[in-house]
Amino acid sequence: MERPHTGRRRNEAAHRAILDAALRLLAESDGAKVNIDAIARAAGVGKQTVYRWWPSKGTLLLDALTDRSEQDVARPDTGSLRTDLLHLIESTFAGAQRIPTASALRTLVREAAGDEHLAELLRTFTMERREVAREVLARGRERGELRADADLDLLLDQFYGLFWYRFLLGHAALDRRTAEELTDALLKQ
């Protein structure tokens, strides 16, 4: 069903429908190209509405993933580094495994291997997620819960390295127990 013309102002219902449709179609694509026409049709809007808000399919997919990630992965600030880090790691693991996020992320990684524009968008997405985790670690360091000379980039690489390795290869769990073990291992350094 086509939505009424939204004019120049952003219609939040149409915006949400487009983001959800983009993520769903990417997840369902199984490697097939997803285009703006299909996203617009699935969202019930005109193609011009999509292009008014996003200059390319890639920026729309990045926005859809970022939006979903912000919904699924909290920005904890409880005053305890262990509590915040555990919550962040656990919600990252859980959020990435939800439908349609899991399929969409795997498809995007697969497509990014052969598409430099998508690879750059994936780098941007991962850098945004790393920045959230960096803030948690930096606050903990400021409170003295982490060594003053702790290498935050190395800690982030260990967190996301384990995440992406297990997420993409599926050889081991990304569950609460793993989140707890990873949190404790990171805090021992």
Side-chain angles (χ1 to χ4, degrees):
M1 173 176 133
E2 183 117 352
R3 296 188 193 312
H5 179 63
T6 59
R8 299 292 297 163
R9 290 189 348 236
R10 179 174 283 195
N11 175 310
E12 285 306 317
H15 183 254
R16 169 65 35 218
I18 293 166
L19 291 174
D20 291 345
L23 200 60
R24 187 178 72 256
L25 290 176
L26 181 62
E28 295 169 355
S29 72
D30 196 32
K33 297 290 183 190
V34 175
N35 61 43
I36 293 292
D37 288 328
I39 294 169
R41 212 172 19 262
V45 300
K47 184 167 69 170
Q48 68 280 8
T49 300
V50 176
Y51 280 119
R52 184 178 313 126
W53 296 332
W54 294 278
S56 69
K57 177 184 78 170
T59 56
L60 169 55
L61 294 176
L62 174 63
D63 202 13
L65 280 171
T66 300
D67 176 72
R68 181 56 55 106
S69 186
E70 288 173 356
Q71 290 176 46
D72 290 347
V73 181
R75 293 177 176 254
D77 189 3
T78 65
S80 163
L81 176 56
R82 186 180 189 289
T83 300
D84 290 350
L85 190 56
L86 175 59
H87 187 71
L88 178 67
I89 291 171
E90 189 175 29
S91 64
T92 297
F93 289 0
Q97 296 177 85
R98 286 191 183 103
I99 297 171
T101 305
S103 297
L105 274 176
R106 286 185 179 98
T107 298
L108 189 59
V109 168
R110 187 171 50 245
E111 286 187 26
D115 183 328
E116 185 52 39
H117 179 66
L118 281 179
E120 182 57 35
L121 291 172
L122 188 58
R123 280 189 291 275
T124 299
F125 172 73
T126 57
M127 291 308 295
E128 290 171 356
R129 301 319 310 157
R130 283 176 65 97
E131 195 53 41
V132 171
R134 176 182 287 286
E135 291 169 10
V136 168
L137 293 171
R139 279 194 310 266
R141 186 168 59 186
E142 289 168 11
R143 291 189 304 257
E145 298 173 89
L146 199 57
R147 287 189 353 252
D149 65 343
D151 184 340
L152 299 187
D153 286 319
L154 182 60
L155 294 173
L156 292 167
D157 286 346
Q158 291 171 351
F159 166 22
Y160 286 107
L162 179 137
F163 164 72
W164 283 108
Y165 190 75
R166 288 188 177 195
F167 178 75
L168 292 173
L169 297 181
H171 78 287
L174 287 170
D175 56 12
R176 178 162 178 86
R177 180 172 175 238
T178 303
E180 288 174 341
E181 290 173 354
L182 177 59
T183 297
D184 292 337
L186 294 174
L187 294 177
K188 287 179 184 173
Q189 297 181 43

mmCIF file with all atom_site columns, all heavy atoms in Angstrom, residues 92-117:
data_model
loop_
_atom_site.group_PDB
_atom_site.id
_atom_site.type_symbol
_atom_site.label_atom_id
_atom_site.label_alt_id
_atom_site.label_comp_id
_atom_site.label_asym_id
_atom_site.label_entity_id
_atom_site.label_seq_id
_atom_site.pdbx_PDB_ins_code
_atom_site.Cartn_x
_atom_site.Cartn_y
_atom_site.Cartn_z
_atom_site.occupancy
_atom_site.B_iso_or_equiv
_atom_site.pdbx_formal_charge
_atom_site.auth_seq_id
_atom_site.auth_comp_id
_atom_site.auth_asym_id
_atom_site.auth_atom_id
_atom_site.pdbx_PDB_model_num
ATOM 1   N N   . THR A 1 92  ? 25.679 -6.492  22.029 1.00 0.00 ? 92  THR A N   1
ATOM 2   C CA  . THR A 1 92  ? 26.242 -6.588  20.676 1.00 0.00 ? 92  THR A CA  1
ATOM 3   C C   . THR A 1 92  ? 26.065 -8.001  20.136 1.00 0.00 ? 92  THR A C   1
ATOM 4   O O   . THR A 1 92  ? 25.611 -8.189  19.008 1.00 0.00 ? 92  THR A O   1
ATOM 5   C CB  . THR A 1 92  ? 27.738 -6.205  20.682 1.00 0.00 ? 92  THR A CB  1
ATOM 6   O OG1 . THR A 1 92  ? 27.869 -4.840  21.078 1.00 0.00 ? 92  THR A OG1 1
ATOM 7   C CG2 . THR A 1 92  ? 28.361 -6.397  19.307 1.00 0.00 ? 92  THR A CG2 1
ATOM 8   N N   . PHE A 1 93  ? 26.408 -8.984  20.957 1.00 0.00 ? 93  PHE A N   1
ATOM 9   C CA  . PHE A 1 93  ? 26.245 -10.384 20.540 1.00 0.00 ? 93  PHE A CA  1
ATOM 10  C C   . PHE A 1 93  ? 24.778 -10.684 20.213 1.00 0.00 ? 93  PHE A C   1
ATOM 11  O O   . PHE A 1 93  ? 24.470 -11.252 19.168 1.00 0.00 ? 93  PHE A O   1
ATOM 12  C CB  . PHE A 1 93  ? 26.704 -11.336 21.645 1.00 0.00 ? 93  PHE A CB  1
ATOM 13  C CG  . PHE A 1 93  ? 28.192 -11.389 21.893 1.00 0.00 ? 93  PHE A CG  1
ATOM 14  C CD1 . PHE A 1 93  ? 29.099 -10.632 21.166 1.00 0.00 ? 93  PHE A CD1 1
ATOM 15  C CD2 . PHE A 1 93  ? 28.688 -12.205 22.891 1.00 0.00 ? 93  PHE A CD2 1
ATOM 16  C CE1 . PHE A 1 93  ? 30.463 -10.698 21.418 1.00 0.00 ? 93  PHE A CE1 1
ATOM 17  C CE2 . PHE A 1 93  ? 30.053 -12.289 23.146 1.00 0.00 ? 93  PHE A CE2 1
ATOM 18  C CZ  . PHE A 1 93  ? 30.940 -11.530 22.412 1.00 0.00 ? 93  PHE A CZ  1
ATOM 19  N N   . ALA A 1 94  ? 23.887 -10.308 21.105 1.00 0.00 ? 94  ALA A N   1
ATOM 20  C CA  . ALA A 1 94  ? 22.461 -10.612 20.930 1.00 0.00 ? 94  ALA A CA  1
ATOM 21  C C   . ALA A 1 94  ? 21.876 -9.859  19.738 1.00 0.00 ? 94  ALA A C   1
ATOM 22  O O   . ALA A 1 94  ? 21.151 -10.436 18.923 1.00 0.00 ? 94  ALA A O   1
ATOM 23  C CB  . ALA A 1 94  ? 21.690 -10.289 22.199 1.00 0.00 ? 94  ALA A CB  1
ATOM 24  N N   . GLY A 1 95  ? 22.169 -8.577  19.639 1.00 0.00 ? 95  GLY A N   1
ATOM 25  C CA  . GLY A 1 95  ? 21.616 -7.756  18.560 1.00 0.00 ? 95  GLY A CA  1
ATOM 26  C C   . GLY A 1 95  ? 22.033 -8.242  17.183 1.00 0.00 ? 95  GLY A C   1
ATOM 27  O O   . GLY A 1 95  ? 21.229 -8.262  16.249 1.00 0.00 ? 95  GLY A O   1
ATOM 28  N N   . ALA A 1 96  ? 23.279 -8.641  17.047 1.00 0.00 ? 96  ALA A N   1
ATOM 29  C CA  . ALA A 1 96  ? 23.781 -9.099  15.746 1.00 0.00 ? 96  ALA A CA  1
ATOM 30  C C   . ALA A 1 96  ? 23.162 -10.427 15.330 1.00 0.00 ? 96  ALA A C   1
ATOM 31  O O   . ALA A 1 96  ? 23.163 -10.762 14.151 1.00 0.00 ? 96  ALA A O   1
ATOM 32  C CB  . ALA A 1 96  ? 25.295 -9.221  15.794 1.00 0.00 ? 96  ALA A CB  1
ATOM 33  N N   . GLN A 1 97  ? 22.631 -11.167 16.282 1.00 0.00 ? 97  GLN A N   1
ATOM 34  C CA  . GLN A 1 97  ? 22.063 -12.477 15.964 1.00 0.00 ? 97  GLN A CA  1
ATOM 35  C C   . GLN A 1 97  ? 20.552 -12.430 15.751 1.00 0.00 ? 97  GLN A C   1
ATOM 36  O O   . GLN A 1 97  ? 19.937 -13.454 15.424 1.00 0.00 ? 97  GLN A O   1
ATOM 37  C CB  . GLN A 1 97  ? 22.419 -13.475 17.077 1.00 0.00 ? 97  GLN A CB  1
ATOM 38  C CG  . GLN A 1 97  ? 23.931 -13.694 17.146 1.00 0.00 ? 97  GLN A CG  1
ATOM 39  C CD  . GLN A 1 97  ? 24.341 -14.618 18.262 1.00 0.00 ? 97  GLN A CD  1
ATOM 40  O OE1 . GLN A 1 97  ? 24.322 -15.834 18.087 1.00 0.00 ? 97  GLN A OE1 1
ATOM 41  N NE2 . GLN A 1 97  ? 24.689 -14.051 19.408 1.00 0.00 ? 97  GLN A NE2 1
ATOM 42  N N   . ARG A 1 98  ? 19.945 -11.250 15.912 1.00 0.00 ? 98  ARG A N   1
ATOM 43  C CA  . ARG A 1 98  ? 18.504 -11.127 15.706 1.00 0.00 ? 98  ARG A CA  1
ATOM 44  C C   . ARG A 1 98  ? 18.174 -11.107 14.218 1.00 0.00 ? 98  ARG A C   1
ATOM 45  O O   . ARG A 1 98  ? 18.974 -10.691 13.384 1.00 0.00 ? 98  ARG A O   1
ATOM 46  C CB  . ARG A 1 98  ? 17.988 -9.839  16.351 1.00 0.00 ? 98  ARG A CB  1
ATOM 47  C CG  . ARG A 1 98  ? 17.923 -9.906  17.843 1.00 0.00 ? 98  ARG A CG  1
ATOM 48  C CD  . ARG A 1 98  ? 17.150 -8.723  18.430 1.00 0.00 ? 98  ARG A CD  1
ATOM 49  N NE  . ARG A 1 98  ? 17.199 -8.816  19.859 1.00 0.00 ? 98  ARG A NE  1
ATOM 50  C CZ  . ARG A 1 98  ? 17.988 -8.090  20.640 1.00 0.00 ? 98  ARG A CZ  1
ATOM 51  N NH1 . ARG A 1 98  ? 18.782 -7.187  20.125 1.00 0.00 ? 98  ARG A NH1 1
ATOM 52  N NH2 . ARG A 1 98  ? 17.982 -8.254  21.945 1.00 0.00 ? 98  ARG A NH2 1
ATOM 53  N N   . ILE A 1 99  ? 16.962 -11.510 13.929 1.00 0.00 ? 99  ILE A N   1
ATOM 54  C CA  . ILE A 1 99  ? 16.434 -11.432 12.567 1.00 0.00 ? 99  ILE A CA  1
ATOM 55  C C   . ILE A 1 99  ? 15.883 -10.019 12.394 1.00 0.00 ? 99  ILE A C   1
ATOM 56  O O   . ILE A 1 99  ? 15.208 -9.536  13.292 1.00 0.00 ? 99  ILE A O   1
ATOM 57  C CB  . ILE A 1 99  ? 15.323 -12.485 12.367 1.00 0.00 ? 99  ILE A CB  1
ATOM 58  C CG1 . ILE A 1 99  ? 15.912 -13.872 12.542 1.00 0.00 ? 99  ILE A CG1 1
ATOM 59  C CG2 . ILE A 1 99  ? 14.649 -12.337 11.013 1.00 0.00 ? 99  ILE A CG2 1
ATOM 60  C CD1 . ILE A 1 99  ? 14.875 -14.980 12.576 1.00 0.00 ? 99  ILE A CD1 1
ATOM 61  N N   . PRO A 1 100 ? 16.132 -9.298  11.322 1.00 0.00 ? 100 PRO A N   1
ATOM 62  C CA  . PRO A 1 100 ? 16.902 -9.672  10.143 1.00 0.00 ? 100 PRO A CA  1
ATOM 63  C C   . PRO A 1 100 ? 18.365 -9.214  10.199 1.00 0.00 ? 100 PRO A C   1
ATOM 64  O O   . PRO A 1 100 ? 19.083 -9.324  9.214  1.00 0.00 ? 100 PRO A O   1
ATOM 65  C CB  . PRO A 1 100 ? 16.172 -8.934  9.032  1.00 0.00 ? 100 PRO A CB  1
ATOM 66  C CG  . PRO A 1 100 ? 15.735 -7.653  9.678  1.00 0.00 ? 100 PRO A CG  1
ATOM 67  C CD  . PRO A 1 100 ? 15.409 -8.031  11.121 1.00 0.00 ? 100 PRO A CD  1
ATOM 68  N N   . THR A 1 101 ? 18.816 -8.699  11.322 1.00 0.00 ? 101 THR A N   1
ATOM 69  C CA  . THR A 1 101 ? 20.158 -8.135  11.407 1.00 0.00 ? 101 THR A CA  1
ATOM 70  C C   . THR A 1 101 ? 21.237 -9.144  11.030 1.00 0.00 ? 101 THR A C   1
ATOM 71  O O   . THR A 1 101 ? 22.163 -8.817  10.279 1.00 0.00 ? 101 THR A O   1
ATOM 72  C CB  . THR A 1 101 ? 20.418 -7.578  12.823 1.00 0.00 ? 101 THR A CB  1
ATOM 73  O OG1 . THR A 1 101 ? 19.383 -6.653  13.147 1.00 0.00 ? 101 THR A OG1 1
ATOM 74  C CG2 . THR A 1 101 ? 21.757 -6.885  12.900 1.00 0.00 ? 101 THR A CG2 1
ATOM 75  N N   . ALA A 1 102 ? 21.155 -10.363 11.540 1.00 0.00 ? 102 ALA A N   1
ATOM 76  C CA  . ALA A 1 102 ? 22.201 -11.354 11.282 1.00 0.00 ? 102 ALA A CA  1
ATOM 77  C C   . ALA A 1 102 ? 22.395 -11.584 9.786  1.00 0.00 ? 102 ALA A C   1
ATOM 78  O O   . ALA A 1 102 ? 23.519 -11.510 9.277  1.00 0.00 ? 102 ALA A O   1
ATOM 79  C CB  . ALA A 1 102 ? 21.864 -12.664 11.989 1.00 0.00 ? 102 ALA A CB  1
ATOM 80  N N   . SER A 1 103 ? 21.327 -11.847 9.083  1.00 0.00 ? 103 SER A N   1
ATOM 81  C CA  . SER A 1 103 ? 21.427 -12.097 7.640  1.00 0.00 ? 103 SER A CA  1
ATOM 82  C C   . SER A 1 103 ? 21.900 -10.851 6.899  1.00 0.00 ? 103 SER A C   1
ATOM 83  O O   . SER A 1 103 ? 22.701 -10.950 5.965  1.00 0.00 ? 103 SER A O   1
ATOM 84  C CB  . SER A 1 103 ? 20.075 -12.528 7.075  1.00 0.00 ? 103 SER A CB  1
ATOM 85  O OG  . SER A 1 103 ? 19.674 -13.734 7.663  1.00 0.00 ? 103 SER A OG  1
ATOM 86  N N   . ALA A 1 104 ? 21.409 -9.696  7.308  1.00 0.00 ? 104 ALA A N   1
ATOM 87  C CA  . ALA A 1 104 ? 21.809 -8.450  6.647  1.00 0.00 ? 104 ALA A CA  1
ATOM 88  C C   . ALA A 1 104 ? 23.305 -8.192  6.832  1.00 0.00 ? 104 ALA A C   1
ATOM 89  O O   . ALA A 1 104 ? 24.003 -7.829  5.877  1.00 0.00 ? 104 ALA A O   1
ATOM 90  C CB  . ALA A 1 104 ? 20.994 -7.281  7.191  1.00 0.00 ? 104 ALA A CB  1
ATOM 91  N N   . LEU A 1 105 ? 23.815 -8.388  8.038  1.00 0.00 ? 105 LEU A N   1
ATOM 92  C CA  . LEU A 1 105 ? 25.243 -8.179  8.279  1.00 0.00 ? 105 LEU A CA  1
ATOM 93  C C   . LEU A 1 105 ? 26.091 -9.153  7.472  1.00 0.00 ? 105 LEU A C   1
ATOM 94  O O   . LEU A 1 105 ? 27.099 -8.761  6.872  1.00 0.00 ? 105 LEU A O   1
ATOM 95  C CB  . LEU A 1 105 ? 25.562 -8.346  9.767  1.00 0.00 ? 105 LEU A CB  1
ATOM 96  C CG  . LEU A 1 105 ? 25.387 -7.136  10.659 1.00 0.00 ? 105 LEU A CG  1
ATOM 97  C CD1 . LEU A 1 105 ? 25.651 -7.514  12.112 1.00 0.00 ? 105 LEU A CD1 1
ATOM 98  C CD2 . LEU A 1 105 ? 26.283 -5.992  10.228 1.00 0.00 ? 105 LEU A CD2 1
ATOM 99  N N   . ARG A 1 106 ? 25.689 -10.417 7.449  1.00 0.00 ? 106 ARG A N   1
ATOM 100 C CA  . ARG A 1 106 ? 26.463 -11.408 6.687  1.00 0.00 ? 106 ARG A CA  1
ATOM 101 C C   . ARG A 1 106 ? 26.449 -11.093 5.192  1.00 0.00 ? 106 ARG A C   1
ATOM 102 O O   . ARG A 1 106 ? 27.464 -11.205 4.513  1.00 0.00 ? 106 ARG A O   1
ATOM 103 C CB  . ARG A 1 106 ? 25.927 -12.817 6.953  1.00 0.00 ? 106 ARG A CB  1
ATOM 104 C CG  . ARG A 1 106 ? 26.317 -13.332 8.321  1.00 0.00 ? 106 ARG A CG  1
ATOM 105 C CD  . ARG A 1 106 ? 25.897 -14.788 8.542  1.00 0.00 ? 106 ARG A CD  1
ATOM 106 N NE  . ARG A 1 106 ? 26.316 -15.239 9.840  1.00 0.00 ? 106 ARG A NE  1
ATOM 107 C CZ  . ARG A 1 106 ? 25.526 -15.284 10.920 1.00 0.00 ? 106 ARG A CZ  1
ATOM 108 N NH1 . ARG A 1 106 ? 24.256 -14.935 10.829 1.00 0.00 ? 106 ARG A NH1 1
ATOM 109 N NH2 . ARG A 1 106 ? 25.998 -15.698 12.076 1.00 0.00 ? 106 ARG A NH2 1
ATOM 110 N N   . THR A 1 107 ? 25.302 -10.670 4.682  1.00 0.00 ? 107 THR A N   1
ATOM 111 C CA  . THR A 1 107 ? 25.202 -10.302 3.269  1.00 0.00 ? 107 THR A CA  1
ATOM 112 C C   . THR A 1 107 ? 26.071 -9.094  2.978  1.00 0.00 ? 107 THR A C   1
ATOM 113 O O   . THR A 1 107 ? 26.791 -9.057  1.974  1.00 0.00 ? 107 THR A O   1
ATOM 114 C CB  . THR A 1 107 ? 23.735 -10.023 2.881  1.00 0.00 ? 107 THR A CB  1
ATOM 115 O OG1 . THR A 1 107 ? 22.975 -11.213 3.076  1.00 0.00 ? 107 THR A OG1 1
ATOM 116 C CG2 . THR A 1 107 ? 23.619 -9.566  1.441  1.00 0.00 ? 107 THR A CG2 1
ATOM 117 N N   . LEU A 1 108 ? 26.028 -8.104  3.847  1.00 0.00 ? 108 LEU A N   1
ATOM 118 C CA  . LEU A 1 108 ? 26.821 -6.895  3.641  1.00 0.00 ? 108 LEU A CA  1
ATOM 119 C C   . LEU A 1 108 ? 28.314 -7.220  3.648  1.00 0.00 ? 108 LEU A C   1
ATOM 120 O O   . LEU A 1 108 ? 29.063 -6.726  2.798  1.00 0.00 ? 108 LEU A O   1
ATOM 121 C CB  . LEU A 1 108 ? 26.491 -5.854  4.710  1.00 0.00 ? 108 LEU A CB  1
ATOM 122 C CG  . LEU A 1 108 ? 27.088 -4.472  4.509  1.00 0.00 ? 108 LEU A CG  1
ATOM 123 C CD1 . LEU A 1 108 ? 26.636 -3.870  3.186  1.00 0.00 ? 108 LEU A CD1 1
ATOM 124 C CD2 . LEU A 1 108 ? 26.702 -3.563  5.657  1.00 0.00 ? 108 LEU A CD2 1
ATOM 125 N N   . VAL A 1 109 ? 28.752 -8.054  4.569  1.00 0.00 ? 109 VAL A N   1
ATOM 126 C CA  . VAL A 1 109 ? 30.172 -8.447  4.619  1.00 0.00 ? 109 VAL A CA  1
ATOM 127 C C   . VAL A 1 109 ? 30.555 -9.173  3.334  1.00 0.00 ? 109 VAL A C   1
ATOM 128 O O   . VAL A 1 109 ? 31.594 -8.895  2.727  1.00 0.00 ? 109 VAL A O   1
ATOM 129 C CB  . VAL A 1 109 ? 30.467 -9.314  5.860  1.00 0.00 ? 109 VAL A CB  1
ATOM 130 C CG1 . VAL A 1 109 ? 31.848 -9.956  5.772  1.00 0.00 ? 109 VAL A CG1 1
ATOM 131 C CG2 . VAL A 1 109 ? 30.359 -8.473  7.135  1.00 0.00 ? 109 VAL A CG2 1
ATOM 132 N N   . ARG A 1 110 ? 29.706 -10.084 2.895  1.00 0.00 ? 110 ARG A N   1
ATOM 133 C CA  . ARG A 1 110 ? 29.973 -10.847 1.669  1.00 0.00 ? 110 ARG A CA  1
ATOM 134 C C   . ARG A 1 110 ? 30.058 -9.909  0.460  1.00 0.00 ? 110 ARG A C   1
ATOM 135 O O   . ARG A 1 110 ? 30.977 -9.997  -0.342 1.00 0.00 ? 110 ARG A O   1
ATOM 136 C CB  . ARG A 1 110 ? 28.877 -11.901 1.484  1.00 0.00 ? 110 ARG A CB  1
ATOM 137 C CG  . ARG A 1 110 ? 29.114 -12.864 0.357  1.00 0.00 ? 110 ARG A CG  1
ATOM 138 C CD  . ARG A 1 110 ? 28.109 -14.022 0.334  1.00 0.00 ? 110 ARG A CD  1
ATOM 139 N NE  . ARG A 1 110 ? 26.716 -13.614 0.419  1.00 0.00 ? 110 ARG A NE  1
ATOM 140 C CZ  . ARG A 1 110 ? 25.904 -13.905 1.447  1.00 0.00 ? 110 ARG A CZ  1
ATOM 141 N NH1 . ARG A 1 110 ? 26.336 -14.601 2.471  1.00 0.00 ? 110 ARG A NH1 1
ATOM 142 N NH2 . ARG A 1 110 ? 24.648 -13.507 1.439  1.00 0.00 ? 110 ARG A NH2 1
ATOM 143 N N   . GLU A 1 111 ? 29.103 -8.984  0.340  1.00 0.00 ? 111 GLU A N   1
ATOM 144 C CA  . GLU A 1 111 ? 29.097 -8.056  -0.789 1.00 0.00 ? 111 GLU A CA  1
ATOM 145 C C   . GLU A 1 111 ? 30.254 -7.065  -0.711 1.00 0.00 ? 111 GLU A C   1
ATOM 146 O O   . GLU A 1 111 ? 30.802 -6.653  -1.730 1.00 0.00 ? 111 GLU A O   1
ATOM 147 C CB  . GLU A 1 111 ? 27.771 -7.306  -0.858 1.00 0.00 ? 111 GLU A CB  1
ATOM 148 C CG  . GLU A 1 111 ? 26.624 -8.155  -1.348 1.00 0.00 ? 111 GLU A CG  1
ATOM 149 C CD  . GLU A 1 111 ? 25.357 -7.357  -1.578 1.00 0.00 ? 111 GLU A CD  1
ATOM 150 O OE1 . GLU A 1 111 ? 25.450 -6.141  -1.846 1.00 0.00 ? 111 GLU A OE1 1
ATOM 151 O OE2 . GLU A 1 111 ? 24.274 -7.949  -1.489 1.00 0.00 ? 111 GLU A OE2 1
ATOM 152 N N   . ALA A 1 112 ? 30.632 -6.665  0.503  1.00 0.00 ? 112 ALA A N   1
ATOM 153 C CA  . ALA A 1 112 ? 31.709 -5.695  0.680  1.00 0.00 ? 112 ALA A CA  1
ATOM 154 C C   . ALA A 1 112 ? 33.046 -6.244  0.198  1.00 0.00 ? 112 ALA A C   1
ATOM 155 O O   . ALA A 1 112 ? 33.935 -5.472  -0.184 1.00 0.00 ? 112 ALA A O   1
ATOM 156 C CB  . ALA A 1 112 ? 31.804 -5.265  2.142  1.00 0.00 ? 112 ALA A CB  1
ATOM 157 N N   . ALA A 1 113 ? 33.187 -7.567  0.192  1.00 0.00 ? 113 ALA A N   1
ATOM 158 C CA  . ALA A 1 113 ? 34.435 -8.171  -0.267 1.00 0.00 ? 113 ALA A CA  1
ATOM 159 C C   . ALA A 1 113 ? 34.716 -7.838  -1.731 1.00 0.00 ? 113 ALA A C   1
ATOM 160 O O   . ALA A 1 113 ? 35.881 -7.786  -2.138 1.00 0.00 ? 113 ALA A O   1
ATOM 161 C CB  . ALA A 1 113 ? 34.394 -9.686  -0.067 1.00 0.00 ? 113 ALA A CB  1
ATOM 162 N N   . GLY A 1 114 ? 33.680 -7.572  -2.506 1.00 0.00 ? 114 GLY A N   1
ATOM 163 C CA  . GLY A 1 114 ? 33.869 -7.262  -3.918 1.00 0.00 ? 114 GLY A CA  1
ATOM 164 C C   . GLY A 1 114 ? 33.409 -5.882  -4.327 1.00 0.00 ? 114 GLY A C   1
ATOM 165 O O   . GLY A 1 114 ? 33.384 -5.561  -5.508 1.00 0.00 ? 114 GLY A O   1
ATOM 166 N N   . ASP A 1 115 ? 33.050 -5.051  -3.376 1.00 0.00 ? 115 ASP A N   1
ATOM 167 C CA  . ASP A 1 115 ? 32.513 -3.720  -3.680 1.00 0.00 ? 115 ASP A CA  1
ATOM 168 C C   . ASP A 1 115 ? 33.153 -2.711  -2.735 1.00 0.00 ? 115 ASP A C   1
ATOM 169 O O   . ASP A 1 115 ? 32.829 -2.661  -1.555 1.00 0.00 ? 115 ASP A O   1
ATOM 170 C CB  . ASP A 1 115 ? 30.993 -3.746  -3.500 1.00 0.00 ? 115 ASP A CB  1
ATOM 171 C CG  . ASP A 1 115 ? 30.319 -2.430  -3.848 1.00 0.00 ? 115 ASP A CG  1
ATOM 172 O OD1 . ASP A 1 115 ? 30.922 -1.362  -3.662 1.00 0.00 ? 115 ASP A OD1 1
ATOM 173 O OD2 . ASP A 1 115 ? 29.152 -2.483  -4.285 1.00 0.00 ? 115 ASP A OD2 1
ATOM 174 N N   . GLU A 1 116 ? 34.076 -1.909  -3.255 1.00 0.00 ? 116 GLU A N   1
ATOM 175 C CA  . GLU A 1 116 ? 34.834 -0.970  -2.414 1.00 0.00 ? 116 GLU A CA  1
ATOM 176 C C   . GLU A 1 116 ? 33.933 0.050   -1.728 1.00 0.00 ? 116 GLU A C   1
ATOM 177 O O   . GLU A 1 116 ? 34.188 0.434   -0.588 1.00 0.00 ? 116 GLU A O   1
ATOM 178 C CB  . GLU A 1 116 ? 35.907 -0.260  -3.236 1.00 0.00 ? 116 GLU A CB  1
ATOM 179 C CG  . GLU A 1 116 ? 36.812 0.641   -2.423 1.00 0.00 ? 116 GLU A CG  1
ATOM 180 C CD  . GLU A 1 116 ? 37.448 -0.013  -1.197 1.00 0.00 ? 116 GLU A CD  1
ATOM 181 O OE1 . GLU A 1 116 ? 37.852 -1.192  -1.270 1.00 0.00 ? 116 GLU A OE1 1
ATOM 182 O OE2 . GLU A 1 116 ? 37.546 0.647   -0.144 1.00 0.00 ? 116 GLU A OE2 1
ATOM 183 N N   . HIS A 1 117 ? 32.873 0.477   -2.395 1.00 0.00 ? 117 HIS A N   1
ATOM 184 C CA  . HIS A 1 117 ? 31.956 1.440   -1.765 1.00 0.00 ? 117 HIS A CA  1
ATOM 185 C C   . HIS A 1 117 ? 31.284 0.810   -0.552 1.00 0.00 ? 117 HIS A C   1
ATOM 186 O O   . HIS A 1 117 ? 31.224 1.418   0.519  1.00 0.00 ? 117 HIS A O   1
ATOM 187 C CB  . HIS A 1 117 ? 30.915 1.932   -2.777 1.00 0.00 ? 117 HIS A CB  1
ATOM 188 C CG  . HIS A 1 117 ? 29.933 2.898   -2.198 1.00 0.00 ? 117 HIS A CG  1
ATOM 189 N ND1 . HIS A 1 117 ? 30.296 4.149   -1.746 1.00 0.00 ? 117 HIS A ND1 1
ATOM 190 C CD2 . HIS A 1 117 ? 28.608 2.783   -1.969 1.00 0.00 ? 117 HIS A CD2 1
ATOM 191 C CE1 . HIS A 1 117 ? 29.237 4.766   -1.267 1.00 0.00 ? 117 HIS A CE1 1
ATOM 192 N NE2 . HIS A 1 117 ? 28.190 3.966   -1.388 1.00 0.00 ? 117 HIS A NE2 1
#
